[in-house]
Amino acid sequence: VQLQASGGGLVQAGGSLRLSCAASGRTFSSYAMGWFRQAPGKEREFVAAISWSGGSTYYADSVKGRFTISRDNAKNTVYLQMNSLKPEDTAVYYCAADPVLNIATMYDYWGQGTLVTVSS
């Protein structure tokens, strides 16, 4: 599975962005998908994950109620809608795919990352 993340950019605090992650391969619908982020000088951290069917979702406490993960298996794409953005959300965001849904960084496939910068 090859993953291509996009949609990052510069936004003011309180604003919104939607990240997309396009996957190649015919087996996208069999993979759980996750979003992670890494801020400068910090370790990569879990943001959100979604099961292969979209029926189960998980969020980090820091983004719960503000971010929404979704997927469109017909388009081989997973999304991360980010609302009420805060400066502390500034990071490089990565999408990842794995046969098993998990909230750790134990994903088999990773995208290249897209930078989100939130100004105060």
Side-chain angles (χ1 to χ4, degrees):
V1 177
Q2 292 185 324
L3 305 172
Q4 181 75 34
S6 62
L10 174 63
V11 63
Q12 288 188 330
S16 298
L17 279 176
R18 188 177 80 155
L19 305 184
S20 299
C21 176
S24 63
R26 296 176 295 172
T27 59
F28 172 77
S29 60
S30 65
Y31 283 87
M33 299 295 296
W35 284 98
F36 294 79
R37 65 187 182 187
Q38 187 165 18
K42 295 188 176 181
E43 293 186 352
R44 190 171 298 187
E45 65 175 5
F46 168 76
V47 175
I50 188 167
S51 62
W52 66 270
S53 68
S56 297
T57 56
Y58 298 91
Y59 297 93
D61 288 343
S62 59
V63 307
K64 203 170 292 184
R66 300 188 297 122
F67 291 11
T68 302
I69 189 171
S70 62
R71 66 189 296 160
D72 185 339
N73 286 343
K75 295 182 178 180
N76 281 11
T77 303
V78 63
Y79 305 97
L80 185 68
Q81 178 67 44
M82 305 185 296
N83 298 328
S84 302
L85 283 161
K86 305 175 181 179
E88 51 264 42
D89 294 319
T90 294
V92 176
Y93 283 71
Y94 299 88
C95 59
D98 196 85
V100 179
L101 179 63
N102 70 89
I103 64 172
T105 54
M106 295 162 40
Y107 278 69
D108 283 348
Y109 304 98
W110 292 84
Q112 87 289 1
T114 184
L115 176 62
V116 172
T117 303
V118 184
S119 63
S120 57

